[in-house]
Amino acid sequence: MSLTRRQLLVYASATTTLLQLTPGFSFADEPPVRGGTLKLHIAIEPPILVNLTHTAGAAVYITGKVTEGLLTYDLDLKPKPQLATAWTESDDGLEYTFSLRQGVKWHDGKDFTADDVVYSLQTLKASNPRGRATFANLASVTAINPYLVQLKLSKPAPYLLTALAACESPIVARHIYGDARPETHPNATAPIGTGPFVFKEWVRGSHVILERNPHYWDAPKPYLDRIIVRFIADSAATVAALEAGEIDISTGGVPLGDIERIKTNPRLAIEDRGEPYTNGITRVEFNLDNQYLQKQPVRAAIAHAINLEFIRKTIFLGYGQPLYGPISPEMKNFHVADLPRYAFDVAKANQLLDDAGLPRDSNGTRFKLTLDPLPGPETYRRTADYIKQALAKIGIQVTLRSQDFATYVKRVYTDRDFDFTLNGMSNLFDPTVGVQRLYWSKNFQPGVPFSNGAHYSNPKVDQLLEAAAVETDVQQRFALFAEFQKIIVEDLPDLGISTVVNPIVHDKRVNNFFVGAEGLGSNAAEIYFKS
């Protein structure tokens, strides 16, 4: 089989690389300064530190700093070398070859080879909630030699070259895992990687310490000596720590109501671009096994009772956009803008419930539900409070339930002990990877977090998603996703609330933390403190 010439070559020179990675760089600018400890704040402590068999959201800010991927991406989602230095794709999209970086060492001193890539991709396909879909068409992955890997697909996977970042498809050490079950292996919480930082310690409930890798393949990077990742759930404490200089940078932990005041602080600055690799959304997910919520008119009534524009203005304070379907409008190549909408209409919501045979009792209550908001930034709790008030107007009595992250995940995805939940998801870089998992009936797998928690099943939707996953024609693929979006809006297994913009608050001395599509989830090799 002949291969195309779409071979992407390695770096040209150190100067070229710096120009590519540092917007606005000129030779008049000062060179990166070596040294210092970056204090990075994350609001939600993840259950693991490597996204090999888990897709815990906050872990993306740690994973790639220790454990790398084959590729990384610029702000336009164009792939760039990381552990792979060059790659080719066959004309029919069924074969990929990756030339691997030579001379790379794992943090324990062992050599990185093609065997590590083979093991990692096979494990992602078998055990990762998103990897099951991403690598569903991966028929074989073979080490041709220690630094050349060949992937053969049973069907095309048009999203594959965008799915190989560290935060999505980490490459782990085969010799570390051996024959143990990857789902329970201790490397998930004390990782050994090839990245610019070496895992030092994790004190649960407090912090993770990462130290500079002195043998990193991309010398003289990293520039920092150390990263301390601090976990602070309380937003007021987070703001106080930032203002006191105890935190250098925070993502998603600062109340939106404090942003304007923080802008007046001469030491702090705001970065409010979304991360193109994640495309976060907030949504209400219904448990379709619930006796009330299994009825589409009931879900439609709830949709009509919730004012998305009010949420955008008063809770998200103008950040983000109302979400009227399953695909974020930030994903411009896939999003359909003119989908049918459930207009805010309390009278219509009440009429739908009356017609569904759910009258009010003497207290004005039709039925009761429990809402489980995702533990995390205050926007979840405030939105949940609003939903409780909004549904009271149509006779649905809502109880809010608070819990820690681990309990929430177990309740929703393992025990299925919930009525409906307000959660955050990543649409990611392609709907097959970030969206399909939420609606594909084959991804209803109790015990697997951040999958089809609704227990939604529609054969037509399955057909559309599976066809789009292998369609290489851009226009036809869009048409498949367009039809999918219209069906989801009609069936309403979930209700979109908003796209997510989590402003990054940072000390002005912190430089080069947003150099690619992964944003703050990058490997941090470029970060340095301005003198």
Side-chain angles (χ1 to χ4, degrees):
M1 180 182 296
S2 63
L3 298 175
T4 69
R5 292 284 183 182
R6 286 182 287 175
Q7 187 173 29
L8 305 179
L9 302 177
V10 224
Y11 303 99
S13 67
T15 300
T16 302
T17 302
L18 186 59
L19 286 168
Q20 290 173 340
L21 293 177
T22 310
F25 179 87
S26 72
F27 290 104
D29 294 332
E30 62 180 30
V33 178
R34 180 79 172 273
T37 296
L38 179 74
K39 292 161 287 187
L40 166 64
H41 165 255
I42 298 174
I44 303 175
E45 183 173 14
I48 46 86
L49 302 181
V50 180
N51 282 345
L52 181 67
T53 62
H54 202 299
T55 56
V60 301
Y61 298 113
I62 302 174
T63 291
K65 295 168 177 55
V66 178
T67 307
E68 297 182 290
L70 288 175
L71 303 174
T72 185
Y73 302 87
D74 67 16
L75 291 169
D76 294 320
L77 286 175
K78 294 178 181 177
K80 299 170 60 177
Q82 198 164 80
L83 288 178
T85 58
W87 51 97
T88 58
E89 178 186 355
S90 62
D91 291 326
D92 60 8
L94 296 178
E95 185 174 303
Y96 294 80
T97 59
F98 291 90
S99 299
L100 304 181
R101 192 176 299 280
Q102 300 185 33
V104 176
K105 298 285 187 181
W106 293 100
H107 295 158
D108 63 0
K110 302 286 187 180
D111 288 332
F112 159 71
T113 72
D115 288 339
D116 302 312
V117 177
V118 172
Y119 173 79
S120 299
L121 297 186
Q122 288 175 339
T123 303
L124 287 162
K125 177 179 179 178
S127 302
N128 186 283
R130 292 199 290 261
R132 289 186 177 93
T134 303
F135 299 103
N137 300 334
L138 181 62
S140 67
V141 52
T142 306
I144 304 301
N145 64 46
Y147 299 104
L148 188 67
V149 173
Q150 181 183 71
L151 279 61
K152 291 189 175 182
L153 279 59
S154 58
K155 299 176 182 178
Y159 48 85
L160 187 64
L161 278 180
T162 323
L164 300 175
C167 59
E168 183 66 20
S169 301
I171 302 302
V172 300
R174 175 72 181 91
H175 69 275
I176 293 295
Y177 283 82
D179 296 326
R181 288 190 61 200
E183 295 87 352
T184 56
H185 197 280
N187 190 71
T189 55
I192 291 173
T194 58
F197 295 93
V198 178
F199 171 80
K200 180 68 174 177
E201 72 172 20
W202 183 0
V203 177
R204 301 288 181 138
S206 177
H207 65 269
V208 166
I209 295 180
L210 310 176
E211 295 189 340
R212 184 179 188 276
N213 177 6
H215 308 295
Y216 187 49
W217 55 263
D218 195 13
K221 302 169 190 173
Y223 302 118
L224 297 170
D225 291 332
R226 184 179 297 104
I227 297 176
I228 299 177
V229 183
R230 294 188 57 190
F231 306 115
I232 305 174
D234 183 79
S235 56
T238 298
V239 173
L242 277 163
E243 294 179 330
E246 297 169 2
I247 294 172
D248 298 313
I249 190 164
S250 173
T251 177
V254 176
L256 296 176
D258 288 339
I259 294 297
E260 291 303 315
R261 179 176 60 79
I262 286 174
K263 286 180 179 178
T264 66
N265 188 314
R267 191 176 56 79
L268 299 175
I270 309 295
E271 171 60 72
D272 57 9
R273 283 180 293 177
E275 296 170 340
Y277 205 78
T278 54
N279 286 308
I281 62 168
T282 301
R283 64 200 270 269
V284 168
E285 186 169 30
F286 302 108
N287 183 346
L288 302 184
D289 296 324
N290 177 278
Q291 62 174 320
Y292 302 110
L293 297 175
Q294 64 185 214
K295 302 175 182 179
Q296 194 275 350
V298 172
R299 303 195 299 274
I302 290 173
H304 281 298
I306 295 174
N307 188 334
L308 299 187
E309 187 60 28
F310 175 85
I311 293 174
R312 186 187 75 84
K313 289 181 178 178
T314 63
I315 298 176
F316 287 87
L317 301 183
Y319 286 96
Q321 305 176 56
L323 187 63
Y324 296 108
I327 295 180
S328 168
E330 298 295 335
M331 302 178 74
K332 296 178 175 59
N333 292 336
F334 303 102
H335 173 72
V336 174
D338 58 348
L339 292 169
R341 297 182 181 182
Y342 294 86
F344 176 58
D345 189 335
V346 174
K348 185 170 185 178
N350 275 305
Q351 187 62 55
L352 283 169
L353 294 176
D354 288 341
D355 294 345
L358 295 167
R360 297 175 184 263
D361 63 17
S362 58
N363 295 317
T365 300
R366 300 177 189 272
F367 57 89
K368 300 178 181 179
L369 296 174
T370 298
L371 174 60
D372 290 282
L374 180 74
E378 67 160 12
T379 50
Y380 288 112
R381 184 68 194 199
R382 292 187 61 200
T383 303
D385 285 335
Y386 165 75
I387 291 173
K388 176 181 178 177
Q389 297 170 19
L391 298 194
K393 296 177 181 178
I394 60 172
I396 301 175
Q397 182 178 322
V398 174
T399 299
L400 301 183
R401 181 162 46 195
S402 299
Q403 58 226 298
D404 62 31
F405 184 74
T407 302
Y408 169 86
V409 169
K410 183 176 183 295
R411 180 188 301 281
V412 174
Y413 295 103
T414 299
D415 301 337
R416 296 191 52 74
D417 175 25
F418 77 106
D419 297 331
F420 66 144
T421 175
L422 176 73
N423 60 31
M425 290 289 174
S426 297
N427 273 183
L428 294 167
F429 45 86
D430 188 281
T432 294
V433 181
V435 178
Q436 175 173 316
R437 62 193 167 113
L438 307 177
Y439 306 96
W440 192 31
S441 68
K442 297 174 185 177
N443 211 37
F444 172 67
Q445 298 181 349
V448 178
F450 310 112
S451 54
N452 181 354
H455 196 183
Y456 175 64
S457 179
N458 183 321
K460 180 60 176 178
V461 164
D462 287 350
Q463 177 187 346
L464 291 167
L465 290 172
E466 291 166 9
V470 300
E471 179 57 62
T472 56
D473 181 86
V474 173
Q475 292 184 338
Q476 181 58 30
R477 194 163 187 246
F478 175 82
L480 292 166
F481 279 124
E483 188 176 354
F484 154 77
Q485 291 171 76
K486 292 174 183 176
I487 294 174
I488 292 300
V489 170
E490 173 63 28
D491 285 357
L492 209 64
D494 63 351
L495 174 65
I497 298 296
S498 178
T499 62
V500 174
V501 176
N502 289 322
I504 298 172
V505 181
H506 64 97
D507 189 299
K508 291 180 179 178
R509 296 178 303 125
V510 181
N511 199 47
N512 272 13
F513 62 85
F514 205 121
V515 296
E518 298 101 308
L520 205 54
S522 73
N523 67 4
E526 305 287 334
I527 297 178
Y528 67 92
F529 285 101
K530 294 179 182 177
S531 58

